[in-house]
Every structure is written in C-alpha cells, then in structure tokens.
Amino acid sequence: MTFDPGQLGQSKADLAETLRAMRRRASRTQVWLAQRCNMSQTKLSSIETGRITPGLVDVELILRALDAPPEMVAEVAAIARLANTEWQGKRASWRRGLEKRQSELAGLEAEAVTLRYFLPAMVTGLLATPEYIRASLGHSPVDISKTVAKKLDRQAVLYDNRKLFTFLLTEQAARWAVVPRAAMAVQIDRLISLSHLPNVRIGVIPLGSAIRRGPMNTFTVYDQRLATVETFTGRIVFRDARDIAEHLEVFGLYERHALFDEDARELLGDWATSYRS
C-alpha cells in the first residue's frame, strides 16, 4: 500500500461508502448484517455513515458475512488500513500552536499503561532537561515558551508507578550534541537519574552492536492500541493492529540488543565524562 498523506482523510469516507454499497448490492439489511457480525445495528450504522472508523477485524467480519470475492476483500482491506492511519503535519501543528500537541500527548500518556519509546536520533521530551528541550525546538518558527512549559509538565507522568515506561536509545541519540558539551553532560546525567525509577527502563544500544535492521524512525507504542512514527515533516499515527504489531516486533528486536540497569548507567556515565573532559 502506497502512503499518501493526502489520501488519509478521504479514505475514511471511501470505506464507509464502499461497505454501505456492498451491503445494498447484496440486498441485506443493517439488522441482518449486524446480527451476522455480532455487533449492534447502531455501530454498523455509524460505520456506514462514517461516524466511526472500523478496525480491520470489523471490516473482515462484514466482508465475510457479505461473501465478498477475494479481489474485493483485498481492495477494501487496503482502504480500511489507510483509514486507520492518520497524518499530522508539522505546519498544521505550528498553525494551531505546538502546545496543543503537548496536550494531546499528555492525554495519550494518561490513558496508556505500557509505553515504549524507540529513540534512534535524539532524546525525547519526557527525558530531556529544560535546556535540551528549548534547543530541540529552536527550529520552530513560532513562540515555544508555552510548549517548553508543557513538555516539562508532562514529565510528571514518569512518577506514576501504575505505568511502565521503556525507552530505547541508540548511542547517537544519547550523545547527539543538541546543546553545548557541559549541558550534554547534564542531559546524560538526567538519563542516569531517571533510570533508577522503578517503573522506568532506559536501554542504550552502543555503536558497533550487530543488528541487521537499521534504526529508521523514532516511534512510540501506547499499549497495543496505537503507534506514532516521527518524520521530518510530521508524524504518522497507526491504529491498525497489524501496524502496531510490526512496531512492537521491531521494538523487541532492539530491546534484546540494549543494555539496561547498571550496564547502561556505566556506559552513560562514560559518555557524560567524555563531554566534561
């Protein structure tokens, strides 16, 4: 499936229209189809009118109940997967205010119990010092003062012991000099400090680790229900269970190669010392 950000909004309407048309061509009522799919008629009606976007399981149930031909199954499944993907462009975030994105992230973090962060390039805001946060937002063509404050406020979630956080950082992410050398040493010290929290696991992957799959993108997985992937121009939000499962598989691969606890702290300490020397 080719990804085109411009198609994402339209795909939700296309999916609703296609499923509604297929049911009518099969001369089936909503009541009949809802019963065959073990869902309420209200839910099916919301799917057909586009008020809610069905997951892949619901779409497969509908297609099976309507005895759809294989070529139609493949086509509709592709539309459904696109409909469960969302594009959030950076320019749009700038227009509405970067601090609003921070509120959305805080909401995701509040709802999730198990959070996984793969960081191949930079330290994420939850782990960052104020100076690092300000420097990382320096390219934004808007006022960042409120965004910095909200990023710092979000860090309180790390102290919620009902949640489990796992952060995987490559050596590049931990050592990339976003701020001057002395400030980088302080930033790395903060990683060491946070790694002592009982519900926070910080893993580091040193350069030279033999891993066949390259670290392509920063991504976050919230429980097993949503994954976000960062790019230079925005972020992609995946809600399709298969996309989430693939990101969890990639995360597990890197997690098996990461150093944790004292091994990680020793390595981080060496890097902080190198910045102080």
Side-chain angles (χ1 to χ4, degrees), residues 8 77 87 92 95 113 124 126 139 143 151 166 171 173 186 217 257 259:
L8 296 184
W87 169 253
R95 285 195 298 271
V113 175
T124 189
L126 288 182
H139 68 284
D143 179 28
K151 275 182 174 282
T166 302
E171 180 172 343
V186 174
N217 296 96
H257 287 83
L259 301 177

Side-chain angles (χ1 to χ4, degrees), residues 182 195 206 244:
S195 74
I244 295 168

